[in-house]
Amino acid sequence: MKTNAGQIEERGYWGSKTEFLLAVAGNVVGLGNVWRFPYLCYKYGGGAFLIPYLVFVVTCGVPLFLLDTAMGQYTQEGGITCWRRLCPLAEGIGYAGQLIQVYSCMYYIIILAWALFFLIFSFSFQLPWASCDNTWNTDDCVNLAAKNLTLNWTTLINSTSAATEFWERRVLALSGSIEEVGKINWEILLCLIAMWIISYFCIWKGVKSTGKVVYFTATFPYVMLLVLLIRGLTLPGALQGVVFYLYPQPALLANSQVWMEAGAQIFFSYSISVGTLTVLGSYNKYNNNCYRDCFWLCLLNSGTSLVAGFAVFSVLGFMAHEQGVPIEDVAESGPGLAFMAYPQAVALMPFPQLWAVFFFIMIILLGLDTHFVAVEAIVTSVTDLFPEVLRRAGWREIFLLFFCLACFVGQLFMVTEGGMYVFQIFDYYACNGANLLFLSMFESLAMGWIFGAEKMCDAIEDMTSSRPNYIFVLCWKYLTPLVALVSFVCSVVEYQPLTFNRWYVYPDWAYTLGWLLALSSILLVPGWVIGRLLAGKGSLKQRWLHLCNPDTNLPLTNKQRAGMKETVSATEMKDLV
């Protein structure tokens, strides 16, 4: 509801439950479901990979998903101020989560700019990544889409596909190292500006606009995925691709890397511990059944990952069949799948432009709502920190514009010829799985032990009229922090320095920059605890107890109200006697 200029606006709620469900679905179902999970599944044991994946779903994914959402709905606060009300000692977790989100916003939208560039070229009469007759091609270029092409192994080793050259020489204009910044790619810059403008207007009015946009951005990718799935499964070689995707290799389960990758996938795809789910849950009415919602949303997320694997590997199987090579030679993950392997496969199909348009529209929409919901989470969290200023008419829109411009300026290095090297540093260090594991461990410890797992169950029961299963108490207090701690230690012990394209080694200063980005969020958690303890008054024990106490103005649960009634009744009886 609008108020007069100068007066504080109401925080607002979702227009309907559907808006909440679509917003969360749009946020958690993103690019990782399409280009990371299928590759991990094939690489780390096929169907056997689902065992560690489901272990992490049960012990970390669903419990933290529910905890994040319920924290927002119970406090009606964003990702930082919810901690101030529930457990002031752990407020650093909120700040750390928002910092990771800022880093994510700075590099994630670059992927959408690349996808928009590919989408524009998908309307060409001949796809530019399907021929070697372009100005950017080299003498080593090989057109794998040519019908009369005969290749031997030596030719393949010493050549580069047309799709790879389009990606590296036309789209990225890749330089030789991170120290060779080069000039700005103006075409990618214009695509980036276009994506920022779209993102801004998707969320500029808060939940009023976000709740309407997600009706399209969260549902249409499923239409595209279904079309691509049906098309993929009807291609020759599709069955071999699907078998390769899910063929179980139980022996790989003894490899710790398999378990680490399964955990990292859960933490990334479920968007836990960074405050996004807390913000989305905070716009729910107090009595929304977030307990039931979380089960359905987690099922949707993991189910989408599994189905996307069929869509991806059926096409990769077709490409391997057409080229007469093993599937492992064409299987890629991340940008390599979206911008090299899949476009190359599309070029082999009849009507390649049509399938290219479908694929890149799906990529853009999958990434777009993940991105603008992350921006919304940051803006809401900061607005809740300074409601007297940012909830005045027009001020939220100004702050959002400032934030978008600041991220855009910070991204300019990523649209240069050396930009891909910077992009990889942000992806590998600033937003890596170890950071999320660290935050998840302390989140579950703070809520399970300091605030109290049983008290959180009371709050959820009061909101939803359904008491969470006791397994959630066990997870929040024991299983989740233990699993997160072991995974965090393993990821640090088995750390491998970042390389690009498996051969380029970064200079020492770049690794230092990466570690600074990683530690900047991790150190906020203990740094906040130390800072608040030093700044407080009284003895150390008094300061600690004060910081562990939740806000006295939190909504009272049924159990608390019953306890107060018993206390009042006992007092009245004593007075009568």
Side-chain angles (χ1 to χ4, degrees), residues 395-573:
W395 279 91
R396 184 190 185 282
E397 291 87 340
I398 294 171
F399 174 70
L400 174 61
L401 179 62
F402 171 79
F403 176 77
C404 293
L405 288 173
C407 287
F408 174 75
V409 171
Q411 289 171 326
L412 291 179
F413 276 109
M414 296 188 204
V415 292
T416 62
E417 294 173 353
M420 187 60 172
Y421 300 102
V422 181
F423 174 90
Q424 293 282 3
I425 288 177
F426 270 80
D427 184 48
Y428 194 78
Y429 289 99
C431 304
N432 68 11
N435 298 34
L436 300 180
L437 289 166
F438 185 86
L439 295 189
S440 299
M441 176 176 62
F442 280 94
E443 177 183 344
S444 50
L445 287 173
M447 294 303 296
W449 290 95
I450 300 177
F451 181 80
E454 291 287 354
K455 193 188 292 185
M456 195 67 221
C457 285
D458 292 341
I460 294 172
E461 183 180 15
D462 190 58
M463 292 187 292
T464 66
S465 300
S466 301
R467 188 166 186 82
N469 192 292
Y470 190 70
I471 188 67
F472 285 98
V473 175
L474 295 178
C475 286
W476 293 333
K477 294 183 74 171
Y478 305 106
L479 290 177
T480 302
L482 179 62
V483 170
L485 174 62
V486 171
S487 301
F488 176 75
V489 171
C490 287
S491 65
V492 173
V493 170
E494 300 191 15
Y495 161 75
Q496 295 291 329
L498 172 66
T499 58
F500 181 71
N501 273 355
R502 301 185 182 91
W503 61 268
Y504 174 74
V505 178
Y506 283 77
D508 291 339
W509 66 264
Y511 290 122
T512 303
L513 173 63
W515 274 106
L516 287 174
L517 289 171
L519 291 173
S520 62
S521 57
I522 288 177
L523 293 179
L524 275 174
V525 179
W528 177 267
V529 174
I530 295 169
R532 288 300 304 271
L533 287 173
L534 292 175
K537 296 179 181 179
S539 67
L540 184 61
K541 182 179 179 180
Q542 289 173 331
R543 298 178 204 177
W544 177 269
L545 291 174
H546 173 70
L547 291 172
C548 290
N549 284 329
D551 186 359
T552 55
N553 293 322
L554 284 171
L556 293 175
T557 64
N558 288 328
K559 185 177 288 188
Q560 289 171 323
R561 284 191 287 269
M564 290 179 66
K565 285 179 180 178
E566 288 177 9
T567 303
V568 171
S569 299
T571 305
E572 289 175 347
M573 288 294 293

Side-chain angles (χ1 to χ4, degrees), residues 8 19 121 248 268 307 375 382 406 420 452 509 525 540:
I8 298 176
E19 291 183 6
F121 274 92
F268 275 116
V307 171
V375 176
V382 176
M420 187 60 172
W509 66 264
V525 179
L540 184 61

Side-chain angles (χ1 to χ4, degrees), residues 145-277:
K147 297 297 182 184
N148 57 350
L149 184 66
T150 55
L151 294 174
N152 56 42
W153 180 250
T154 305
T155 307
L156 277 173
I157 289 293
N158 297 323
S159 63
T160 312
S161 70
T164 301
E165 291 205 348
F166 178 77
W167 167 239
E168 293 183 350
R169 299 176 61 84
R170 179 69 177 88
V171 180
L172 300 179
L174 195 62
S175 66
S177 74
I178 192 173
E179 294 168 317
E180 298 175 26
V181 177
K183 60 181 184 295
I184 288 177
N185 186 331
W186 293 102
E187 293 167 315
I188 299 298
L189 181 66
L190 291 174
C191 291
L192 182 62
I193 292 171
M195 295 313 303
W196 268 117
I197 291 173
I198 294 171
S199 294
Y200 178 83
F201 284 107
C202 283
I203 57 175
W204 74 310
K205 291 296 182 184
V207 288
K208 299 183 187 70
S209 55
T210 306
K212 303 300 181 287
V213 171
V214 291
Y215 276 98
F216 175 72
T217 59
T219 57
F220 198 67
Y222 284 96
V223 177
M224 296 290 96
L225 182 61
L226 180 62
V227 170
L228 293 171
L229 173 65
I230 294 171
R231 179 58 184 140
L233 292 175
T234 58
L235 293 168
L239 180 60
Q240 291 90 322
V242 171
V243 170
F244 193 79
Y245 164 48
L246 289 178
Y247 183 77
Q249 303 174 59
L252 289 176
L253 294 179
N255 185 353
S256 62
Q257 185 69 26
V258 175
W259 293 81
M260 286 168 52
E261 292 290 352
Q265 176 63 17
I266 290 298
F267 282 90
F268 275 116
S269 66
Y270 277 44
S271 293
I272 46 185
S273 299
V274 291
T276 308
L277 295 173

